[in-house]
């Protein structure tokens, strides 16, 4: 093999950093330029040229088409994939699940300054939206297997009225870290607190009795906090899945632009359910994250991704099927490319 042949072969291997469509449209031109700039008797690409080719190929693979719609779709796909990755990390990780009823009773005793009456019954199976407990002192275990944000709930009614500020002070005196008491115009007041592995949310509802009565109902929700290991695994999985989602979206959009009109229409129709579900999920996630920021409360790194993806399981399944069908269609062999089309995408 001559010097120029060996150099050409090495450059061709480096050009594999670029997507196939780019190599078909511009590979020969780029290779010719590189060979023309090579020194006499050169057999290997220079380090600068090799690094430039690798970084150039990465940029092309990561850059979506210039159309605004394509860029928005890429971002939505990446964020939705990040949520899915975070959810899978929690399912596969060591998240502890719900606290025991006894742990909830201990916290409730601290909050109320007395032991609540009644004993916990059987766990109530529900997910996210759970039935309201009847008035009176009782402990309800909510079993939420899908999103694993299981909680123990203590509900009480006190004819003397309840003061959230005093409840917060009792928890702080017991070594809890509590956020500020937040109120609404409706009269609902609540605050969150944490200590060790437990997280507590205390809320006091306005009187449900006739006007003038002082009876108020309080609700205490006790759950396990996500450990540092769980949060780290969730974030790592979200970043990895988000990057993968970005790459897949860019690949699909680049291939979609190179198909016939019928394939473009069919793949767009097949992917429409995924786009709708993914967009709604990402918007909901932004809202779920915005509320804790505005109220200065902790963000539940476990509940947000799992809750969003399990709120309507059929929607998540439909989105997955829609994405798979769309990707299968865009993966079909495309039509012949043209320099004009290549310039539009690059």
């Amino acid at each position: 093999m001559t010097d120029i042949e060996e150099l050409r072969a090495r450059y061709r291997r480096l050009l594999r950093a670029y997507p196939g469509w780019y190599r078909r449209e511009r590979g020969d031109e780029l290779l010719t330029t590189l060979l023309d700039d090579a020194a006499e008797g050169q057999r290997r690409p220079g380090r600068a040229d090799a690094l430039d080719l690798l970084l150039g190929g990465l940029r092309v693979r990561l850059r979506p088409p210039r159309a605004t719609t394509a860029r928005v779709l890429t971002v939505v796909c990446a964020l939705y994939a990040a949520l899915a990755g975070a959810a899978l990390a929690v399912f596969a990780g060591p998240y502890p699940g719900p606290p025991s009823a006894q742990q909830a009773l201990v916290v409730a005793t601290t909050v109320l300054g007395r032991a609540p009456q009644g004993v916990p019954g059987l766990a109530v199976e529900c997910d996210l939206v759970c039935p309201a407990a009847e008035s009176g002192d009782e402990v309800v275990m909510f079993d939420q297997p899908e999103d694993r944000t299981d909680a123990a709930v203590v509900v009480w009614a006190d004819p003397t009225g309840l003061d959230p500020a005093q409840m917060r002070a009792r928890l702080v005196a017991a070594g809890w870290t509590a956020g500020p008491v937040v109120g609404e115009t409706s009269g609902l007041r609540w605050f969150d607190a944490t200590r060790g592995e437990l997280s507590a949310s205390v809320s006091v509802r306005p009187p449900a009795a006739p006007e003038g009565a002082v009876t108020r109902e309080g609700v205490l929700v006790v759950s396990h906090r996500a450990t540092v290991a769980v949060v780290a695994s969730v974030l790592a999985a979200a970043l990895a899945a988000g990057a993968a989602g970005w790459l897949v979206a860019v690949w699909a959009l680049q291939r979609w632009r190179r198909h016939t009109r019928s394939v473009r229409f069919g793949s767009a129709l097949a992917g429409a359910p995924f786009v709708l579900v993914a967009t709604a999920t990402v918007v909901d996630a932004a809202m779920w994250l915005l509320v804790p920021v505005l109220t200065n409360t902790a963000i539940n790194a476990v509940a947000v991704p799992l809750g969003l993806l399990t709120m309507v399981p059929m929607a998540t399944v439909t989105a997955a099927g829609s994405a798979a069908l769309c990707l299968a269609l865009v993966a079909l062999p495309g039509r012949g490319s043209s320099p004009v089309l290549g310039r539009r995408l690059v």
Side-chain angles (χ1 to χ4, degrees):
M1 181 181 294
T2 63
D3 293 344
I4 192 65
E5 290 174 343
E6 183 173 350
L7 183 60
R8 179 184 288 107
R10 292 181 184 275
Y11 271 133
R12 285 194 181 277
R13 285 195 289 270
L14 286 173
L15 286 173
R16 292 176 182 173
Y18 289 85
W21 63 266
Y22 189 96
R23 296 197 304 271
R24 288 190 297 270
E25 295 173 2
R26 299 193 173 185
D28 291 340
E29 176 185 351
L30 184 55
L31 180 60
T32 300
T33 302
L34 291 169
L35 293 175
D36 289 342
D37 292 340
E40 183 72 23
Q42 182 178 343
R43 299 176 64 88
R44 295 175 178 273
R47 292 183 179 179
D49 287 340
L51 181 60
D52 186 61
L53 288 174
L54 293 175
L55 292 179
L58 182 62
R59 284 194 297 269
V60 173
R61 289 184 182 276
L62 292 177
R63 186 173 59 200
R66 293 179 179 177
T68 302
T69 302
R71 294 180 176 180
V72 171
L73 285 175
T74 302
V75 172
V76 169
C77 290
L79 292 177
Y80 187 78
L83 288 173
L88 292 175
V90 175
F91 278 122
Y95 189 62
S100 66
Q102 185 59 38
Q103 286 177 304
L105 290 174
V106 170
V107 179
T109 300
T110 304
V111 171
L112 295 174
R114 63 172 177 82
Q117 305 299 314
V119 295
L122 297 176
V124 177
E125 292 189 3
C126 62
D127 186 31
L128 288 178
V129 180
C130 298
E134 297 178 0
S135 298
D137 291 1
E138 60 181 329
V139 179
V140 181
M141 297 295 294
F142 285 150
D143 183 13
Q144 300 168 299
E146 280 77 14
D147 63 19
R148 299 184 61 181
T149 55
D150 302 25
V153 181
V154 181
V155 182
W156 66 85
D158 192 333
T160 62
L162 300 172
D163 185 357
Q166 293 181 0
M167 297 178 181
R168 181 183 180 278
R170 294 190 190 103
L171 284 177
V172 171
W176 288 71
T177 301
V181 177
V182 181
E184 293 183 350
T185 55
S186 63
L188 176 67
R189 302 178 69 192
W190 78 90
F191 67 90
D192 296 327
T194 58
R195 188 183 72 174
E197 64 174 8
L198 294 180
S199 175
S201 177
V202 181
S203 61
V204 178
R205 300 171 182 172
E211 186 176 354
V214 295
T215 300
R216 288 178 178 270
E217 185 178 90
V219 179
L220 166 68
V221 180
V222 184
S223 59
H224 273 127
R225 297 176 65 191
T227 63
V228 174
V230 170
V231 174
S233 65
V234 166
L235 292 177
L239 289 174
W246 183 282
L247 287 172
V248 171
V250 170
W251 170 84
L253 288 168
Q254 296 287 14
R255 287 194 62 87
W256 183 86
R257 295 283 293 271
R258 285 168 168 73
H259 273 295
T260 61
R261 182 176 299 179
S262 59
V263 175
R264 292 202 303 268
F265 177 79
S267 58
L269 188 63
F274 169 79
V275 173
L276 292 176
V277 173
T279 302
T281 302
V282 169
V283 171
D284 284 345
M287 296 298 296
W288 280 38
L289 295 174
L290 182 62
V291 171
V293 172
L294 295 178
T295 58
N296 195 28
T297 55
I299 296 175
N300 192 327
V302 173
V304 171
L306 289 176
L308 289 170
L309 294 177
T310 60
M311 185 180 299
V312 185
M314 185 54 64
T316 302
V317 173
T318 301
S322 170
L325 181 57
C326 178
L327 291 175
L329 289 174
V330 298
L332 295 173
R335 65 184 180 184
S337 58
S338 66
V340 174
L341 190 57
R343 284 195 293 270
R344 288 172 58 194
L345 290 173
V346 181

